[in-house]
Amino acid sequence: MSDLGSRPGAAQAAADVAFVARELRPYLTDLLTREQVAWQEHVAPWWDPAEALAAYLDGGKALRPRFCYWGHAIAGVEAGPLLLQAAAALELLHAFALIHDDLMDDSDIRRGRPTLHRETAGQHRRHGWSGTPYDYGRSMALPPGDLAFAVAGRLTDALPAPARGVWHEMVQELVIGQFLDLAGTARQDRSASVARTT
């Protein structure tokens, strides 16, 4: 990757997109396929969360993995499995945040399609399952988000200690920000200090 600086601008711009399409997305697909197999090995009769997460990840711009790619390239380090794991962890953490954020905000649309809890409620409605679609959708959107967070954490276990430190700080800031967003709205605190924190 050290020769990236000598390539034409268009080639540079396409390199991160190619990384996402040719390496990251197949890696995530394989990762979640293996997750479904693990659920089956635990004799789970259904593995909807792994399937739902795989479908959820099939979209979006993957900006965070692309930033990770370019950060790695600028450092002049050769691409390897750790880059792929870090990029996948970032994409999974982002999915976790979006799924939970949509639940907290009770949003209807994400990326031009129904949010995961709305889609899951629709599945409940179509099958005529017991209970209410709304409650089922909200409850059953949590496991895919939790799964994304868990798998992301596993991927970062192999990263170097400095990268893990950054990861832990980022996760902490994400949780604090989500909490303060909701708490500030409920408490009607529109102060600059809270806004800067969230």
Side-chain angles (χ1 to χ4, degrees):
M1 277 195 208
S2 56
D3 65 336
L4 284 173
S6 62
R7 295 182 188 175
Q12 283 190 5
D16 58 330
V17 176
F19 168 73
V20 168
R22 297 175 192 163
E23 297 186 54
L24 179 64
R25 296 216 186 275
Y27 178 78
L28 286 168
T29 298
D30 180 63
L31 196 66
L32 291 171
T33 298
R34 282 187 276 125
E35 196 65 35
Q36 291 176 38
V37 170
W39 282 53
Q40 293 171 44
E41 288 173 351
H42 281 85
V43 201
W46 310 289
W47 41 91
D48 300 26
E51 289 180 335
L53 181 57
Y56 190 85
L57 289 169
D58 187 24
K61 300 180 184 73
L63 289 178
R64 286 146 195 84
R66 289 162 64 187
F67 292 151
C68 181
Y69 173 90
W70 284 119
H72 199 79
I74 289 166
V77 182
E78 287 298 317
L82 289 182
L83 169 62
L84 198 52
Q85 285 180 238
L90 286 168
E91 187 69 350
L92 286 163
L93 183 67
H94 185 53
F96 155 77
L98 292 181
I99 291 168
H100 285 226
D101 188 61
D102 286 341
L103 271 171
M104 290 183 229
D105 296 340
D106 204 19
S107 301
D108 295 324
I109 301 293
R110 171 69 68 180
R111 295 173 176 166
R113 63 187 189 192
T115 52
L116 186 56
H117 63 283
R118 296 286 187 230
E119 190 175 306
T120 308
Q123 181 186 32
H124 180 285
R125 196 174 294 109
R126 287 191 302 274
H127 290 284
W129 291 332
S130 178
T132 66
Y134 179 81
D135 291 338
Y136 181 85
R138 289 187 63 80
S139 298
M140 292 302 283
L142 282 169
D146 294 344
L147 180 62
F149 186 74
V151 175
R154 287 204 306 261
L155 290 173
T156 60
D157 285 346
L159 298 181
R164 289 199 310 274
V166 171
W167 174 265
H168 295 315
E169 185 177 346
M170 185 171 55
V171 168
Q172 184 179 47
E173 289 180 358
L174 170 64
V175 174
I176 291 170
Q178 287 282 28
F179 165 73
L180 290 177
D181 183 28
L182 291 172
T185 300
R187 300 170 198 198
Q188 298 185 323
D189 185 338
R190 297 179 178 87
S191 64
S193 60
V194 170
R196 278 194 299 268
T197 307
T198 58

